[in-house]
């Protein structure tokens, strides 16, 4: 009788251990960060479920809460949901960048040479890989901070945690300046021996606020650059 009880206890322990293992293998949260700005509270978290990375962004302004989810598949397809409704689908997104963000290996350099060959602070040769460009029409609706930050973060094809501070700074400037359009360009470069012997991908994100002149030309009212990298 005692041996039966021991066998049953051992079996139940194995079942519990298996459930814990499966649960941790199916989904895990990491790199959860909270950003406090003047009028906004932004939470960004990453969930890795098998080969799919989910970036979840919660934007709180007063009692209003907006949730953005970016579901990134290993084939580079990214589905963007705003408050659980499908907003848009991107192709050829850098899946590894989101995976690195989830695994906390995406980084912005803390120290670098201000006299380097490239504005990101690295001297090693940058080989162009790809470019994503988006234009946001800022005249379509009444804007306030959470709406504008949501529009910008939804348009970006890279991990939001890397540049959320710059996005907020740009959004605040736009609201104060009354700019009509925002052009966003994301440039991806391959960098060999960035920190010898390491190779990396380097992202240069350019946000440019414009007004349209009477000659139908763009008058740039604000330029803003941000850079982030991950080691290959």
């Amino acid at each position: 009788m005692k041996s039966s009880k021991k066998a049953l206890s051992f079996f139940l322990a194995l079942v519990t251990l298996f459930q814990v293992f499966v649960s941790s293998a199916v989904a895990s949260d990491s790199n959860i960060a909270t950003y406090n700005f003047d009028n906004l509270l932004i939470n960004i978290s990453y969930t890795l479920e098998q080969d799919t990375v989910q970036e979840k962004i919660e934007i709180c302004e007063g009692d209003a809460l907006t949730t953005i989810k970016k579901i990134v598949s290993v084939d580079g397809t990214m589905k963007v949901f705003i408050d659980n409704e499908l907003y848009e689908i991107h192709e050829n997104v850098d899946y590894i960048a989101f995976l690195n963000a989830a695994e906390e290996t995406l980084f912005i350099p803390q120290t670098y040479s201000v006299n380097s060959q490239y504005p990101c602070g690295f001297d090693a040769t940058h080989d162009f890989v790809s470019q994503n460009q988006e234009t946001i029409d800022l005249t379509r609706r009444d804007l306030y901070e959470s709406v504008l930050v949501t529009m910008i973060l939804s348009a970006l094809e890279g991990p939001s945690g890397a540049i959320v501070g710059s996005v907020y700074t740009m959004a605040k400037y736009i609201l104060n300046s009354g700019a009509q359009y925002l052009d966003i360009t994301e440039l991806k470069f391959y960098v060999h021996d960035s920190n010898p012997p390491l190779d990396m991908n380097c992202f240069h994100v350019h946000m440019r606020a414009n007004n349209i002149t009477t000659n139908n030309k763009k008058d740039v009212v604000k330029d803003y650059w941000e850079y982030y990298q991950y080691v290959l």
Side-chain angles (χ1 to χ4, degrees), residues 88-118:
E88 60 185 0
I89 298 176
H90 296 252
E91 303 291 342
N92 301 316
V93 171
D94 192 326
Y95 167 80
I96 301 299
F98 282 89
L99 182 63
N100 276 263
E103 295 177 344
E104 300 185 77
T105 54
L106 190 79
F107 68 96
I108 300 173
Q110 300 301 309
T111 59
Y112 52 86
S113 171
V114 294
N115 297 316
S116 66
Q117 181 179 355
Y118 298 94

Side-chain angles (χ1 to χ4, degrees), residues 39-152:
N39 300 311
L40 294 185
L41 177 66
I42 300 178
N43 296 313
I44 300 179
S45 63
Y46 294 89
T47 302
L48 181 59
E49 186 170 346
Q50 296 181 348
D51 290 332
T52 301
V53 180
Q54 174 182 281
E55 178 184 75
K56 182 179 180 181
I57 310 162
E58 294 178 320
I59 304 171
C60 305
E61 184 173 13
D63 294 330
L65 172 63
T66 301
T67 301
I68 305 170
K69 290 182 181 178
K70 296 182 179 181
I71 312 297
V72 186
S73 302
V74 70
D75 65 356
T77 301
M78 181 175 75
K79 296 181 180 180
V80 182
F81 296 83
I82 298 180
D83 293 333
N84 293 320
E85 291 190 9
L86 182 62
Y87 180 68
E88 60 185 0
I89 298 176
H90 296 252
E91 303 291 342
N92 301 316
V93 171
D94 192 326
Y95 167 80
I96 301 299
F98 282 89
L99 182 63
N100 276 263
E103 295 177 344
E104 300 185 77
T105 54
L106 190 79
F107 68 96
I108 300 173
Q110 300 301 309
T111 59
Y112 52 86
S113 171
V114 294
N115 297 316
S116 66
Q117 181 179 355
Y118 298 94
C120 59
F122 289 93
D123 280 318
T125 299
H126 284 47
D127 294 323
F128 175 79
V129 176
S130 62
Q131 173 178 313
N132 171 55
Q133 191 159 1
E134 301 275 350
T135 297
I136 298 176
D137 184 351
L138 304 172
T139 67
R140 293 180 300 171
R141 65 170 97 180
D142 292 335
L143 294 177
Y144 45 97
E145 285 186 0
S146 61
V147 171
L148 185 51
V149 169
T150 298
M151 293 171 70
I152 298 173

